Amino acid sequence: MSQSEGNSYFERGEQERLKCRFADALEAYRQALGQYSANNALERLRCHRKIGDCLRMRGDFVTAENHYCQALAIAQQQEDELELADTLVGLGLCRRSLGKIEQTTRDLEQAQQIYQEWEDPHGEAFCLWAMGGMWRFSGHLRHAKTAFQEALSLFEMMDDELGIGYSLCGLGGVSRVMGKHQKSLHYYSRAHDALKRISDTFGIAYSSCGIANAHRMARDYGRAFTHFSQATALYKEIGDQVSFAYTLWGEATAHKMVGEWELALGGFQQADEIFQTTGDRRGTIYALLGKGELAFLANDLDQAHGMLREALDMATTNPFRLERCHCHLLQVLFHREAGQHVDMEEIRRQYRQFGSNFPGADVTLPLNLP
């Protein structure tokens, strides 16, 4: 085994990763790992973490978690706290996508404590950004907003455009689910400008999708479709599956809203296939809600109620509180469409409890979920 060859492969992996070519970066990191001996503990640790990062970006969360855990074991053996913290953040992001919110919380809180003790503002900012996503996933929207704002402040202090862009994306996403669509568009547009300046392809795609969803919530479907197309082209270019699936869901929702039900169903089904492959249960809930609503609109009531029950069961057995509200809302709308008396204020109170002003006073089917 050659350490110099390992270093060469690792550097290639870094270059490809910075260009958002995650498949090529993954191959280079794997080749680097094969060149490092057991004596190259730090190098092997970093390879495992970078492999985990690439696998996470490509949606292979289970294998990514395994590599992060191998990196974690080496960091603990070496008693290298900063490497340990960096690995914990990656592991937390991976476990968040698998719906393991309790473990994610422990991982990120431990990392944050290390960064604070070592006075590492960049590490702490990245950790806060990860925490924002965790809080959003688990339906603690106010906590999510605060974490993204704190991350943004630190990244602005360091003049870190990449961190600024992703923090703004986080604020754009949480603003949308809080029912603040104009703020969402503002944040995503700022993020898009920042990430274009540094040519971050993934970030440009991510913010394009966010802009599309903000336009969708404002019922400006023409602009929404334009930005969804831009995001799709970029995600295909870099081979992303995870975020692409949510783009498919958002675009399918827009098709549903304008009455293009066949296109909507195709989009929901394609997104669902990716969510099933990656093990993204939260995404699966959204796909089920979309398909279930289309079944209801087509008067296939048995299928509609079956999909809604499946989505609600999944939301109830996982820590997805906002998605649980979405299930209850669709349930209420189904009953209302069937001529039953329903209490819309009760469902609104559930959303308000989590910090969301959705839904508005005119909520009806088809449902434009945020």
Side-chain angles (χ1 to χ4, degrees), residues 219 256-257 261 289 292-294 296-297 329-338 362-368:
R219 301 183 184 276
K256 179 190 71 180
M257 295 305 296
W261 293 357
L289 291 178
E293 185 183 355
L294 286 176
F296 185 88
L297 292 170
L329 174 59
L330 204 56
Q331 207 169 41
V332 164
L333 292 176
F334 283 4
H335 289 319
R336 189 173 72 180
E337 290 292 318
D362 59 345
V363 64
T364 185
L365 295 180
L367 180 60
N368 201 9

Side-chain angles (χ1 to χ4, degrees), residues 159-174:
D159 198 26
D160 183 329
E161 286 247 77
L162 185 68
I164 289 169
Y166 280 97
S167 297
L168 288 167
C169 281
L171 284 166
V174 77

